[in-house]
């Protein structure tokens, strides 16, 4: 609690004093929970640009400074010094693991990598050309039909097992979606490989040949997983919390998060970046596309640019820009036209008053698509990979919400702009 308050005039001489809450860092928050009860008015905030929907200890973002912290640790430090499961542990439990904790956590997760054989039937029910995200929404939601005990979400042990299951099975399900789309047999997980290596194995191995994951590629993928692991109350995380607030199964909540992530304004952007760079085709064409961006009658936007929160360079993009160079050099693809166009586009845009005035900088998706494409991941799988990585953030936020004594079912109100009350007209009297 705090003794600070903020006073707001609510019309005429009337005013209201509301408590002001302090976070550990970041802006202060006006507590409006009693606002309606005391004034009879709602607050209006479509898109929630000024609304803190919960208390959270997991992730902090300073969009003006371009800072992203998980449990207080800087994302650049985590991305360069940790592996993905280490970061998962941090996000879930609040502290970096020691050696034994990391080993045990790795065991607990890998123990759950296989999916029920019946899931194979479910996947085979889809058309071969189904988008992997459509399949993942269905299959992850369907896990609630396989794990009834996890439906008692008040039991911390059940929540922990659901957490392990989701982190472990998402790569298996995503790789199954890909294998099914190209008509190859499903490849079972290998628990002797690390998280990223195992995913590459399930994506690219075939039963008739040995497969050895490239360590440079696996490292780059692991870094992509780390950089996408959590991002506080974004659209998909808020979706998970909202669905979870009703007491729904964690699998249903995560399935809803995947659905929310799918849109091109959110997780679908890295796929859109690659499509856009392909369409631009050559650095010479960039000015034409910048003209399109500025044309009010054209709704073309630079994909991978701009962010609701970051009004500075997205710190994740800084890490990935370097990683894109490293991976493409390692694979002998440093002259890849896509990278050249991306670098040139970024250079021109960062100097252009349209982008400068609106504080539009490259976001995490700008470079992740280039890396994924270079390592042979098809564009349709980009968002699926984002979903795999974000699962730890979603499930950590869901756990935090379930344990929060202030948690209530999410239920926003509205500014009604429809018809006023009117008399019913029977059908035979309607014009
Ligand atoms: N290209 C060109 N102009 C842009 C872009 C862009 N990528 N993004 C925003 N703008 C312009 C808008 O046209 C608007 O201009 P105006 O004031 O002249 O009308 C102004 O910048 C503000 O844009 P909003 O849409 O109000 O900003 P908002 O915060 O709502 O949008 C969003 C954020 C959705 C990410 C937006 O920047 C966008 O569409 N970017 C492209 C898609 C993308 O990269 N998404 C990934 C986000 S990161 C993630 O989800 C992991």
């Amino acid at each position: 609690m705090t003794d600070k308050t903020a006073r707001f005039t609510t019309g005429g001489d009337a005013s209201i004093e509301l408590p002001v809450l302090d976070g550990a860092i970041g802006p202060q928050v006006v507590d409006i929970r009693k606002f309606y009860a005391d004034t009879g008015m709602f607050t209006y905030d479509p898109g929630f640009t000024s609304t803190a929907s919960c208390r959270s200890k997991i992730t902090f973002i300073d969009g003006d400074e371009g800072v992203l912290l998980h449990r207080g640790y800087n994302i650049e430090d985590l991305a360069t010094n940790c592996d993905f499961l280490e970061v998962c542990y941090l996000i879930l439990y609040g502290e970096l693991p020691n050696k034994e904790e990391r080993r045990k956590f790795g065991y607990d997760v890998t123990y759950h990598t296989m999916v029920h054989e019946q899931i194979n039937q479910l996947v085979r029910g889809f058309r071969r050309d189904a988008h992997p995200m459509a399949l993942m929404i269905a299959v992850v939601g369907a896990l609630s039909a396989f794990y009834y005990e996890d439906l008692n979400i008040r039991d911390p042990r059940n929540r922990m097992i659901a957490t392990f299951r989701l982190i472990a099975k998402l790569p298996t399900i995503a790789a199954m979606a890909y294998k099914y789309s190209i008509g190859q047999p499903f490849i079972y997980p290998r628990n002797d490989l690390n998280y990223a290596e195992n995913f590459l194995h399930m994506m690219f191995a075939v039963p008739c040949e040995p497969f050895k994951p490239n360590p440079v590629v696996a490292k780059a993928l692991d870094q992509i997983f780390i950089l996408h692991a959590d991002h506080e109350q974004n659209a998909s995380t808020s979706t998970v919390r909202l669905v979870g607030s009703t007491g729904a199964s964690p699998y249903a909540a995560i399935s809803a998060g995947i659905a929310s992530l799918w849109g091109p304004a959110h997780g679908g952007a890295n796929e859109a970046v690659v499509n856009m760079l392909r369409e631009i085709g050559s650095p010479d064409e960039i000015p034409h596309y910048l003209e399109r961006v500025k044309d009010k009658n054209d709704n073309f936007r630079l994909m991978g640019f701009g962010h609701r929160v970051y009004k500075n360079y997205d710190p994740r993009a800084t890490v990935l820009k370097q990683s894109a160079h490293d991976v493409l050099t390692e694979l002998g693809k440093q002259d890849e036209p896509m990278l050249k166009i991306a670098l040139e586009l970024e250079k021109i845009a960062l100097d252009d008053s349209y982008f400068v005035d609106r504080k539009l900088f490259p976001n995490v998706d700008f470079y992740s698509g280039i890396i994924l494409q270079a390592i042979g991941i098809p564009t349709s799988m980009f968002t699926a990979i984002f979903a795999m990585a974000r699962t730890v953030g979603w499930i950590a936020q869901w756990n935090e919400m379930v344990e929060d004594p202030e948690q209530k079912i999410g239920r926003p109100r509205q500014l009604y702009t429809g018809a006023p009350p009117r008399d019913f007209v029977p059908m035979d009297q309607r014009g």
Side-chain angles (χ1 to χ4, degrees):
M1 217 27 210
T2 170
D3 49 6
K4 280 181 240 162
T5 55
R7 180 169 289 283
F8 297 91
T9 309
T10 52
D13 290 340
S15 70
I16 180 170
E17 197 159 292
L18 294 168
V20 173
L21 309 178
D22 285 319
I25 40 176
Q28 293 183 317
V29 170
V30 181
D31 180 350
I32 59 165
R33 278 176 291 182
K34 296 212 170 102
F35 192 79
Y36 175 59
D38 290 351
T39 67
M41 287 191 270
F42 293 143
T43 54
Y44 182 60
D45 187 16
F48 310 117
T49 52
S50 294
T51 297
S53 61
C54 61
R55 292 175 197 258
S56 182
K57 292 185 164 70
I58 301 173
T59 293
F60 173 79
I61 303 173
D62 182 334
D64 293 324
E65 295 298 321
V67 170
L68 168 59
L69 310 177
H70 293 318
R71 303 288 190 176
Y73 292 102
N74 203 299
I75 190 65
E76 283 101 332
D77 288 338
L78 297 174
T80 44
N81 296 304
C82 297
D83 70 12
F84 178 62
L85 286 187
E86 216 176 322
V87 175
C88 287
Y89 185 100
L90 172 71
I91 287 174
L92 287 166
Y93 302 115
E95 297 297 336
L96 285 165
N98 62 29
K99 260 193 188 147
E100 176 51 21
E101 288 163 340
R102 169 65 187 82
R103 187 205 61 74
K104 166 103 174 38
F105 182 68
Y107 173 81
D108 287 339
V109 170
T110 48
Y111 184 76
H112 292 281
T113 48
M114 293 217 311
V115 292
H116 195 290
E117 278 296 295
Q118 207 67 22
I119 296 280
N120 299 359
Q121 306 299 112
L122 189 61
V123 173
R124 290 200 176 95
F126 278 81
R127 286 169 54 122
R128 292 265 179 200
D129 61 357
H131 195 287
M133 289 294 275
L135 198 145
M136 283 171 73
I137 290 166
V139 173
V140 173
L143 293 179
S144 53
F146 288 84
Y147 302 114
Y148 291 108
E149 71 280 11
D150 295 357
L151 300 182
N152 174 12
I153 61 164
R154 295 283 149 208
D155 183 335
R157 190 182 140 72
N158 287 349
R159 285 207 305 278
M160 191 185 67
I161 293 174
T163 299
F164 292 148
R165 282 191 177 126
L166 280 157
I167 296 170
K169 291 185 200 308
L170 258 286
T172 313
I173 295 167
M176 285 173 84
Y178 173 60
K179 285 298 196 190
Y180 183 67
S181 74
I182 56 170
Q184 287 188 2
F186 301 133
I187 299 293
Y188 284 89
R190 266 184 53 191
N191 290 354
D192 60 317
L193 299 175
N194 72 32
Y195 197 83
E197 289 170 342
N198 175 49
F199 179 64
L200 288 168
H201 159 75
M202 292 188 293
M203 284 286 290
F204 298 121
V206 286
C208 49
E209 282 175 19
F211 175 82
K212 201 170 175 322
N214 176 330
V216 176
V217 169
K219 171 92 189 96
L221 194 58
D222 198 68
Q223 208 168 41
I224 287 181
F225 294 160
I226 293 172
L227 294 170
H228 287 84
D230 191 50
H231 213 225
E232 55 119 302
Q233 309 310 320
N234 54 82
S236 56
T237 303
S238 300
T239 304
V240 169
R241 279 187 178 258
L242 193 60
V243 174
S245 78
T246 69
S249 138
Y251 305 103
I254 301 299
S255 166
I258 298 171
S260 169
L261 187 73
W262 194 0
H266 191 9
N270 53 9
E271 187 174 340
V273 169
V274 168
N275 292 336
M276 177 191 75
L277 294 175
R278 279 205 188 108
E279 188 189 321
I280 295 176
S282 139
D284 301 341
E285 293 296 320
I286 292 173
H288 165 66
Y289 284 89
L290 292 184
E291 283 314 308
R292 285 191 59 191
V293 164
K294 294 170 194 171
D295 181 354
K296 285 277 171 212
N297 299 316
D298 189 335
N299 56 14
F300 178 77
R301 281 186 171 200
L302 273 196
M303 289 293 120
F305 263 77
H307 196 278
R308 171 59 63 78
V309 179
Y310 292 118
K311 302 302 167 196
N312 201 325
Y313 212 97
D314 180 339
R316 302 167 300 172
T318 316
V319 177
L320 283 183
K321 184 176 179 180
Q322 185 56 44
S323 173
H325 274 290
D326 296 347
V327 171
L328 269 68
T329 305
E330 173 69 21
L331 299 177
K333 296 182 176 178
Q334 61 274 34
D335 294 326
E336 182 84 21
M338 201 171 276
L339 183 64
K340 284 202 165 132
I341 299 169
L343 290 172
E344 188 61 18
L345 187 60
E346 179 189 329
K347 205 167 112 208
I348 297 176
L350 290 182
D351 225 18
D352 187 306
S353 61
Y354 176 94
F355 292 88
V356 175
D357 295 350
R358 289 169 180 76
K359 299 187 175 167
L360 299 169
F361 293 85
N363 60 46
V364 65
D365 294 312
F366 193 65
Y367 285 105
S368 65
I370 296 173
I371 300 172
L372 293 174
Q373 195 249 0
I375 66 183
I377 308 272
T379 45
S380 63
M381 283 297 291
F382 287 6
T383 322
I385 287 175
F386 190 163
M388 277 167 53
R390 183 55 59 83
T391 295
V392 64
W394 290 331
I395 196 77
Q397 300 264 355
W398 172 81
N399 272 295
E400 186 177 60
M401 182 205 63
V402 173
E403 286 168 9
D404 183 352
E406 289 185 344
Q407 186 267 326
K408 285 178 184 299
I409 182 170
R411 177 53 170 96
R413 302 305 301 264
Q414 62 175 7
L415 174 65
Y416 177 68
T417 57
R422 47 186 169 161
D423 293 334
F424 179 77
V425 183
M427 190 179 277
D428 59 6
Q429 290 169 31
R430 293 175 211 160

